[in-house]
Amino acid sequence: MFTEENLKKVEEIKKRYPTSQAALLPVLWIAQEQFGWISEDVMRYVAELLGLPYSHVYGVVTFYTMYNKKPVGKYHIQVCTNVSCMLRGAYENLEYLEKKLGIKVGQTTPDMKFTLTEVECLGSCGTAPVVQVNDDYYEDMSKEKLEKLIEQLSRDRK
Amino acid sequence: MEQIKLILKDIPELHRIEVYEANGGYSALRKALGMKPDEIIEEVKKSGLRGRGGAAFPTGMKWSFMPKDSRPKYLIVNADEGEPGTFKDRAIIEKNPHQLIEGALIAAYAIGAQTIYVYIRGEYVKWMKILQNAIDEAYSRGYIGKNILGSGFSVDIYIHRGAGAYICGEESALMESIEGKRGYPRVKPPFPAQYGLWGYPTTINNVETLANVPVIIEKGGEWYSKIGAPKHPGTILFGVSGHVNKPGIYELPTGILLTDLIYKYAGGVRNNKKIKAVIPGGSSTPALRGDQIEGVTMDFDSLRNAGSMIGTGGVIVMDEDTDMVKVLWRIAKFYWHESCGQCTPCREGTGWMFKILDRIVKGGGRPEDLDLLVSVANNIEGNTICALGDAAAWPIKFGVQRFREDFEKYIKFKSTVLVEK
Ligand SMILES: Cc1cc2nc3c(=O)[nH]c(=O)nc-3n(C[C@H](O)[C@H](O)[C@H](O)COP(=O)(O)O)c2cc1C
Ligand code: SF4
Ligand code: FES
């Protein structure tokens, strides 16, 4: 299931640790990059690849919040609402995004373009409120900035 | 107090290895490799350096716990940075990654580690790239790898990416996570120096702690020990957030007045409002009331005497309009979400605290809820495997005591005022 290139990466990663189990988190990251989320099939595949029981892989995937247990939209919008962000308007931002995207926290738009998630402190409290879209941080976010960002992301038709 | 910068220096492009070298970078490593490991540990002990990851444990002493046998040994750099209100490690990785790498190399040599893992939180993709780039540069110059600078000492550095779990910042959960498991903290003892990664001796240090090490080797422990508060010397990268005019990171000597940090450096409170509360060291440290911060200095002893803790140095300032019930509600939600669920008092207690607070903010609070909150917190405290339990209990317990009027208003008026503006 992994591409040739990813299989090579797995071999490289295994060399960093004395056990193949330790390669599990990095290999799950590779899986998520390739498939976008971690399905039961992917878990079974990773389990076999690393010689681990499926139940172990399942336990790990479900423990860590960043492994997607279901498909997410092309843009995964993650809004920090922890204290420093809350003090500077994170909940208003979240409400605004719910309205703008027409979905509730935890949902994905029907066209699979946007998923909206509420997350814990992103380690960026000095530039609160903060929103993460896929891998990128957007800091000091006002409603105006969010509006621009969503419009820009909506325009891309790929 | 004079601002002195040991880590976040005002040198443009310092993240590039040429610039770092041109400013004396990696000379501390060279010097350290000419010393005996024990001499390095002595120097760090003399410096008085204490961990910047939250517990302020003396670093030299921690290193001295590592056994001197020939088993494999590990150093872990804790870059999980999950404590709400904390954003300093990412600044070090961004602005001065080589000083972190150099500090980690010196530490590895001192404790006899052959492998260094940097455990970095999963969201820090950009900073992972910056750090990997710096690691690659250092490999290519012979600072990392086999027979470093001809010393016979060899070590490798690997980045291990977390995947979204605050508990994995706790050192034993972190080791479980590197081993490819769920992040369940281990029962201690045995401590990591005896039984760490895969059962081998391991030392875990915070990013900022290690970034101080090259300075100590370069200038000497004695020199370092004279900066800031005598019992907790050095500089700290204070991260100030919340209702201040200039949120950000301020590297300052320990012992600086909390009020100076807020008013002189962070630009004071927005709209000239008064301060209602300050969380001095990340969300695990109990909030102080505005009338409790006068004369408090930013170091271990002063904050403990004031009724809180230095924690990570992440200072969250809240103005007079802040709804403290809502703040404590949000903090309780966090710990409930992040409890790994292994110990009953923590798993159940964090859930109860959140449910009670949730009922209060939704207007259904009862007068007896306040004592109930304190009693649940008391039942968590000291009865758990790891320190997350205490970290969840203390802010709520002291919060109910210190901001009782806010709670009483909620309960009396069934208020559901929101906090933000
Ligand atoms: C729940 C919990 C979360 C923690 N998160 C972090 C973290 O994100 N980064 C960190 O350096 N230390 C964290 N710590 C502290 C570590 O367990 C450990 O004490 C620290 O990394 C040791 O480094 P130091 O001695 O250099 O401070 C956490 C502790 C607990 C109980
Ligand atoms: S105190 Fe909480 S987080 Fe720590 S081990 Fe127990 S249940 Fe897990
Ligand atoms: S509280 Fe939002 S980034 Fe820290």
Side-chain angles (χ1 to χ4, degrees), chain A residues 50-114:
Chain A
L50 295 177
L52 300 169
Y54 166 73
S55 59
H56 179 83
V57 176
Y58 176 84
V60 166
V61 170
T62 50
F63 183 86
Y64 294 94
T65 55
M66 288 183 79
Y67 295 128
N68 300 322
K69 271 70 81 180
K70 53 183 190 201
V72 293
K74 182 170 179 200
Y75 298 109
H76 189 184
I77 304 183
Q78 298 149 89
V79 182
C80 170
T81 59
N82 212 303
V83 178
S84 304
C85 285
M86 174 175 109
L87 292 170
R88 296 180 82 99
Y91 277 103
E92 283 89 337
N93 280 350
L94 189 63
E95 235 173 82
Y96 171 78
L97 285 169
E98 283 186 332
K99 261 195 218 128
K100 177 94 186 160
L101 300 171
I103 50 174
K104 292 270 160 218
V105 171
Q107 296 180 338
T108 301
T109 53
D111 61 359
M112 290 303 288
K113 193 125 188 195
F114 297 104

Side-chain angles (χ1 to χ4, degrees), chain B residues 63 75 77 99-100 103-104 107 205-214:
Chain B
W63 293 2
L75 173 72
V77 181
Q99 193 162 321
L100 165 63
N205 276 125
N206 172 257
V207 166
E208 186 183 346
T209 310
L210 291 168
N212 276 288
V213 170

Side-chain angles (χ1 to χ4, degrees), chain B residues 29 31 37-38 55 89 123 144 165 206 248 283 293 342 356 376 405:
Chain B
L29 175 65
K31 183 170 171 188
D38 276 343
D89 296 337
E123 293 86 349
I144 314 176
N206 172 257
S283 73
I293 64 171
Q342 260 193 123
I356 298 167
V376 175
E405 323 81 67

Side-chain angles (χ1 to χ4, degrees), chain B residues 128-280:
Chain B
M128 253 172 259
K129 286 181 187 151
I130 295 172
L131 186 59
Q132 187 60 55
N133 194 44
I135 291 171
D136 294 343
E137 284 179 328
Y139 263 108
S140 72
R141 305 263 169 134
Y143 298 127
I144 314 176
K146 294 229 154 29
N147 189 19
I148 297 168
L149 303 175
S151 65
F153 173 66
S154 304
V155 72
D156 284 304
I157 304 186
Y158 305 113
I159 293 179
H160 189 93
R161 181 181 181 187
Y166 168 67
I167 194 57
C168 290
E170 194 278 340
E171 56 188 28
S172 63
L174 189 160
M175 293 191 292
E176 293 288 300
S177 183
I178 292 182
E179 291 181 10
K181 305 181 209 159
R182 286 176 286 191
Y184 284 156
R186 299 177 182 172
V187 178
K188 282 151 270 183
F191 292 98
Q194 274 80 51
Y195 193 94
L197 265 179
W198 302 289
Y200 294 114
T202 303
T203 291
I204 299 107
N205 276 125
N206 172 257
V207 166
E208 186 183 346
T209 310
L210 291 168
N212 276 288
V213 170
V215 184
I216 292 167
I217 295 306
E218 190 77 52
K219 310 237 181 178
E222 172 114 9
W223 180 88
Y224 187 93
S225 73
K226 302 221 162 78
I227 303 168
K231 286 191 188 158
H232 189 183
T235 62
I236 289 185
L237 274 58
F238 296 109
V240 189
S241 65
H243 296 142
V244 288
N245 284 312
K246 290 196 294 174
I249 301 281
Y250 298 93
E251 179 175 3
L252 291 160
T254 53
I256 182 173
L257 280 168
L258 173 53
T259 46
D260 277 357
L261 179 58
I262 295 169
Y263 289 101
K264 283 201 186 147
Y265 292 95
V269 183
R270 279 195 322 195
N271 307 318
N272 280 319
K273 298 253 182 196
K274 291 203 200 70
I275 293 178
K276 173 142 185 187
V278 179
I279 292 174

Side-chain angles (χ1 to χ4, degrees), chain B residues 58-128:
Chain B
T59 307
M61 197 195 293
K62 185 185 269 192
W63 293 2
S64 72
F65 295 154
M66 289 290 277
K68 308 240 176 306
D69 53 30
S70 59
R71 283 180 291 169
K73 295 185 189 71
Y74 296 97
L75 173 72
I76 299 171
V77 181
N78 192 343
D80 198 47
E81 190 145 85
E83 174 78 1
T86 311
F87 49 102
K88 67 199 173 72
D89 296 337
R90 124 181 168 171
I92 296 174
I93 291 169
E94 184 168 326
K95 300 272 162 46
N96 200 354
H98 285 289
Q99 193 162 321
L100 165 63
I101 294 170
E102 186 174 13
L105 291 166
I106 295 168
Y109 174 69
I111 63 172
Q114 303 86 355
T115 311
I116 301 171
Y117 294 108
V118 182
Y119 190 95
I120 188 164
R121 60 177 300 168
E123 293 86 349
Y124 278 0
V125 177
K126 174 177 155 190
W127 296 274
M128 253 172 259

Side-chain angles (χ1 to χ4, degrees), chain A residues 75-79 93 96-97 100-101 113-114 129-134 136-156:
Chain A
Y75 298 109
H76 189 184
I77 304 183
Q78 298 149 89
V79 182
N93 280 350
Y96 171 78
L97 285 169
K100 177 94 186 160
L101 300 171
K113 193 125 188 195
F114 297 104
V130 185
V131 171
Q132 187 178 3
V133 181
N134 298 344
D136 298 322
Y137 278 44
Y138 294 85
E139 305 174 31
D140 284 313
M141 290 312 274
S142 56
K143 277 182 215 163
E144 294 70 44
K145 281 164 104 177
L146 280 173
E147 180 171 20
K148 262 196 210 132
L149 176 65
I150 298 297
E151 260 147 36
Q152 188 195 323
L153 298 177
S154 305
R155 268 199 298 277
D156 127 53

